[in-house]
Amino acid sequence: MKTKSTLLPFLLVLFFLGLFSSCQDEITTTYTYRTMMPVYLEMSDVRARLITTEPAQPLDNPGKIYIYGDYLFVNEPTKGIHILDNTKPSNPINLRFIPIEGNVDLAVNNNILYADNYVDLLAFDLSNMGDIRLIKRVENVFTHLYRHDTGQIITFKDSVVVTDGNGWRGEGWLMRSDMSFAANFSAAAKSYGTGGSMARFTLMNDHLYAVDESTMRVFDVTKAEDPKFVKPVDLGWGIETIFPFQNKLFIGSNRGMHIYDASTPSSPTRMSVFEHVMACDPVVVNEDHAFVTLRTGNTCWNGINELQVVDIKNPYQPKLKKAYPMLNPHGLGLAGDFLYVAEGQHGLKSFNVSDVMAIDKNQLEFLTSMKSVDLIPGPKSLIVIGPDGVCQYDYSKPNQLKKLSCIQVTNPVIIN
Amino acid sequence: MKFRFIYLFIGLYFSCVKGLAQEKLYFSQTELGFLYGRGMENWEGKREERMDFTFQTFHGARFTPKQVIGFSVGLDQYQDISLLPIALGYRGFIGKEGKPQIFGGLDLGGGSAVLEKKQEDEWSKSWYEGGIMFSPMAGFKLPSRKGKTALSFTFAYKRQEFSYFQGYFERGNVRPFTTSLLPPGYNSVTETAFLYHSFVFRMGLMF
């Protein structure tokens, strides 16, 4: 009797076996991807919002860094600007935050901070750091953001989307999300530090030059508090960085380096284009040479990782003098005869470049632990941007960098 | 609490060794066989069938004369994918000692994908992750004349989950916001989740 009662469950199990074995395998695909979701804004609404400084906020995902006197201005792409007191580079103090929607770049001139606010250029008075005020708004200058003439702009918001679907459909979306990234967020995403070599706003001879993907916009800031839009200059596609030097503008694009004569500051004219294969390339310049890095691994990959030295004694005919193989060079900075190259995840290199034909033989240091994407040789310290945040180094001995401090970043750069 | 389990395990282990020598506390079952399953319908309305190798070895201790708890490990092949199932298990027997018996059992655990290699290149990375495994079973035990060993035939259902991930890295210097939906450094991840229902037949030896 007892055996029968225990037999029953087993028969039940067998019955379920039969049931289950008749069902088929289930395969489900989910595709999770980052993308930029479009957001439509009326500029009239944006302009109606008051911009007032806020207490210090932690650095989340810093973009451009600008050094102005004892202060560091750190852009939080599309959100605003942090102001830090950098009197002591070993202990920078986060002071306050100016929330500016759509802001990706900035520059400071004569106590006036210039910043973009979607399609407008704003000017803030910094003469009293405790009371920063918006004093001027130049409307409708960065018109590439306009969707149409009605005053509505299109901007994009970071999103992560999860979909059910097949792989092939996923690939299609992936391409699209990348394209939107490249087209719309490039200004924010690529301008790592500036004042450094990946700048997009730059000041020279009382003029502010702002470059976007294809256009340079010139502002007259002779009266610092009253910037005036002068004109746009068409540059061609793929513009990424701008570097001013001795009345010339060196503009890095993904196809080469443009040299513009800005001796008439309001109307820069093209002197020459030094073309090379497709690559993304920051530029730094001294009297005789331009230093350009090409690298793989970003939106314009091509298999080349190089530091190129270009002879620019005759700016109408730049010539490649020598190219040095690199590992994965990102930003670079020049301080006198010393060149610092951010090698991405490989670290940071320093060179003495007094002999441009033998840069490889004059490598001073290769700090493999200092993963970095950009750097700015400032008056007090070398500012290095990398996965550890925003770090400052004493480089008074160029061949022996000494760490001073690191500003923690909640969402640091990821280098692949 | 944690230690209690360790003591229990050690106790169990020694009791097994002791059992081997004296009272047959220790029980083992090692079997080979096949997994059979039917794939999803494709666009033509046809389905693929799969028939693959399976191996399992179960080790446990008798807590009553006819009931055993223990653990099992093995190797399951699902087309190109090899999983290592690791599970806690139960076996119960009906019938007289020394005569053919019917048994039933249950394994509950997971299938590990450690045997599957991760693939990575400049732009992407792909890998497998194992998942939950659940397998009720029933079978026959045919003891040998001399007593200690027995032939076993097992029919089972096996439900195995696992996933294939293919992720594309963020390209360039993009510093995206962090999200719990994607691992850091990835622009996209495609997860293909497999839920395989298999009919299993195995045969082997019991001690």
Side-chain angles (χ1 to χ4, degrees):
Chain A
M1 207 53 212
K2 200 188 168 194
T3 48
K4 257 188 189 170
S5 64
T6 42
L7 193 66
L8 198 64
F10 292 121
L11 289 173
L12 273 174
V13 167
L14 273 175
F15 172 72
F16 279 110
L17 281 184
L19 262 186
F20 280 120
S21 59
S22 69
C23 66
Q24 59 170 359
D25 296 340
E26 289 158 46
I27 301 170
T28 48
T29 305
T30 48
Y31 180 55
T32 308
Y33 60 100
R34 294 178 184 280
T35 190
M36 310 296 287
M37 296 299 272
V39 178
Y40 301 96
L41 290 168
E42 294 292 336
M43 264 327 278
S44 52
D45 293 348
V46 173
R47 286 172 189 143
R49 279 168 223 160
L50 273 179
I51 298 174
T52 45
T53 52
E54 292 175 359
Q57 289 187 9
L59 274 67
D60 179 46
N61 182 10
K64 179 169 177 169
I65 296 176
Y66 198 92
I67 305 169
Y68 184 68
D70 282 340
Y71 296 96
L72 291 182
F73 291 81
V74 182
N75 163 247
E76 195 73 59
T78 74
K79 297 193 177 77
I81 297 168
H82 300 278
I83 301 172
L84 286 82
D85 181 350
N86 197 38
T87 313
K88 286 185 202 150
S90 56
N91 183 27
I93 301 159
N94 198 344
L95 290 179
R96 52 181 54 82
F97 183 70
I98 313 175
I100 306 170
E101 284 178 79
N103 174 252
V104 293
D105 217 328
L106 66 134
V108 185
N109 179 34
N110 292 337
N111 271 333
I112 303 291
L113 164 70
Y114 302 103
D116 57 326
N117 171 216
Y118 295 122
V119 299
D120 294 352
L121 180 78
L122 308 182
F124 292 88
D125 183 359
L126 299 179
S127 47
N128 179 1
M129 275 294 183
D131 180 28
I132 297 168
R133 274 175 303 120
L134 176 65
I135 51 168
K136 174 93 184 177
R137 175 186 288 273
V138 188
E139 293 189 0
N140 301 333
V141 283
F142 304 110
T143 47
H144 62 290
L145 281 171
Y146 269 119
R147 197 161 144 260
H148 44 72
D149 299 333
T150 58
Q152 192 179 48
I153 54 165
I154 181 166
T155 178
F156 292 82
K157 190 176 181 304
D158 276 307
S159 317
V160 171
V161 179
V162 182
T163 58
D164 293 340
N166 299 320
W168 64 267
R169 209 173 86 206
E171 300 295 311
W173 273 101
L174 177 70
M175 295 311 287
R176 283 171 60 182
S177 72
D178 262 31
M179 277 163 65
S180 69
F181 235 109
N184 299 291
F185 207 59
S186 57
K190 280 182 202 150
S191 57
Y192 273 110
T194 325
S197 56
M198 291 163 113
R200 299 170 71 87
F201 267 27
T202 201
L203 284 158
M204 189 170 70
N205 299 336
D206 288 332
H207 283 71
L208 172 71
Y209 302 94
V211 293
D212 62 39
E213 286 271 297
S214 63
T215 313
M216 171 162 65
R217 292 182 170 79
V218 185
F219 298 86
D220 183 345
V221 290
T222 318
K223 278 167 80 184
E225 68 285 358
D226 186 22
K228 284 192 182 69
F229 180 53
V230 181
K231 67 171 185 176
V233 179
D234 198 28
L235 296 174
W237 285 103
I239 300 304
E240 302 196 317
T241 64
I242 180 166
F243 190 92
F245 190 77
Q246 291 186 342
N247 294 334
K248 293 185 198 71
L249 294 168
F250 296 83
I251 296 167
S253 80
N254 56 23
R255 289 197 177 277
M257 177 181 73
H258 303 241
I259 305 177
Y260 275 77
D261 179 359
S263 49
T264 310
S266 59
S267 180
T269 51
R270 181 185 289 181
M271 300 172 91
S272 58
V273 180
F274 175 70
E275 291 216 23
H276 50 61
V277 287
M278 192 100 165
C280 295
D281 54 338
V283 185
V284 292
V285 175
N286 65 18
E287 328 253 295
D288 297 333
H289 299 100
F291 300 88
V292 182
T293 56
L294 313 185
R295 74 167 191 281
T296 58
N298 50 13
T299 40
C300 26
W301 13 284
N302 60 1
I304 293 175
N305 285 299
E306 268 182 4
L307 170 69
Q308 292 190 346
V309 183
V310 182
D311 186 336
I312 50 157
K313 276 183 207 127
N314 179 356
Y316 290 97
Q317 278 183 321
K319 278 199 293 275
L320 177 65
K321 216 162 176 188
K322 192 152 182 184
Y324 297 95
M326 290 278 150
L327 298 171
N328 192 16
H330 289 62
L332 72 173
L334 191 64
D337 276 342
F338 300 97
L339 180 74
Y340 299 90
V341 180
E343 279 271 34
Q345 61 173 340
H346 301 287
L348 189 142
K349 282 179 180 166
S350 56
F351 298 95
N352 184 331
V353 293
S354 49
D355 179 3
V356 292
M357 297 310 283
I359 292 177
D360 51 342
K361 293 187 187 71
N362 291 309
Q363 181 172 314
L364 303 172
E365 276 188 299
F366 183 12
L367 303 158
T368 50
S369 61
M370 285 166 58
K371 297 177 179 177
S372 50
V373 292
D374 200 15
L375 39 88
I376 310 162
K380 295 175 172 184
S381 64
L382 180 71
I383 299 177
V384 178
I385 296 101
D388 295 335
V390 178
C391 297
Q392 298 192 62
Y393 291 84
D394 179 354
Y395 69 129
S396 50
K397 285 183 193 157
N399 56 355
Q400 208 184 337
L401 297 186
K402 210 174 80 191
K403 190 172 186 170
L404 297 172
S405 66
C406 276
I407 304 163
Q408 290 300 314
V409 169
T410 50
N411 196 2
V413 54
I414 294 163
I415 313 172
N416 286 322
Chain B
M1 204 55 202
K2 220 193 257 173
F3 286 106
R4 222 185 271 177
F5 282 112
I6 293 169
Y7 291 139
L8 187 74
F9 187 79
I10 292 169
L12 203 69
Y13 177 76
F14 281 109
S15 67
C16 292
V17 176
K18 194 176 143 229
L20 244 182
Q22 298 167 4
E23 297 162 322
K24 282 186 70 185
L25 251 154
Y26 171 71
F27 171 86
S28 84
Q29 179 188 23
T30 302
E31 294 176 313
L32 294 171
F34 64 83
L35 294 156
Y36 166 80
R38 297 197 296 169
M40 284 175 87
E41 277 184 24
N42 65 12
W43 58 275
E44 281 180 307
K46 290 181 182 168
R47 48 177 102 234
E48 231 178 271
E49 300 191 344
R50 55 186 170 77
M51 176 84 100
D52 293 298
F53 169 81
T54 179
F55 163 79
Q56 192 189 57
T57 179
F58 173 87
H59 301 269
R62 290 184 173 86
F63 64 96
T64 73
K66 289 187 176 172
Q67 295 190 86
V68 181
I69 53 163
F71 62 92
S72 67
V73 294
L75 175 69
D76 290 335
Q77 192 67 33
Y78 295 96
Q79 289 159 316
D80 324 335
I81 296 125
S82 306
L83 297 181
L84 287 178
I86 300 163
L88 287 172
Y90 164 85
R91 302 287 183 273
F93 297 85
I94 311 165
K96 282 182 184 162
E97 199 58 45
K99 292 274 160 81
Q101 287 176 314
I102 296 174
F103 70 89
L106 181 72
D107 282 345
L108 182 62
S112 159
V114 286
L115 294 178
E116 293 301 319
K117 286 230 167 68
K118 290 177 180 180
Q119 290 195 319
E120 185 172 356
D121 61 26
E122 200 178 329
W123 303 283
S124 68
K125 186 172 172 179
S126 60
W127 68 96
Y128 282 90
E129 279 178 21
I132 290 168
M133 187 275 284
F134 165 75
S135 178
M137 70 196 76
F140 303 102
K141 176 187 178 185
L142 303 174
S144 69
R145 295 226 172 116
K146 280 170 194 168
K148 280 205 169 171
T149 59
L151 272 178
S152 77
F153 299 90
T154 305
F155 303 91
Y157 157 75
K158 186 171 260 188
R159 178 196 160 100
Q160 174 71 61
E161 294 175 12
F162 64 94
S163 286
Y164 173 68
F165 292 90
Q166 189 171 32
Y168 286 87
F169 300 132
E170 284 291 352
R171 280 202 244 120
N173 283 332
V174 180
R175 273 178 291 177
F177 61 105
T178 46
T179 165
S180 57
L181 296 170
L182 281 171
Y186 285 87
N187 184 61
S188 74
V189 171
T190 306
E191 177 183 359
T192 309
F194 297 88
L195 169 55
Y196 276 0
H197 304 281
S198 306
F199 170 76
V200 189
F201 174 74
R202 291 187 301 257
M203 57 186 291
L205 292 173
M206 284 178 178
F207 293 95

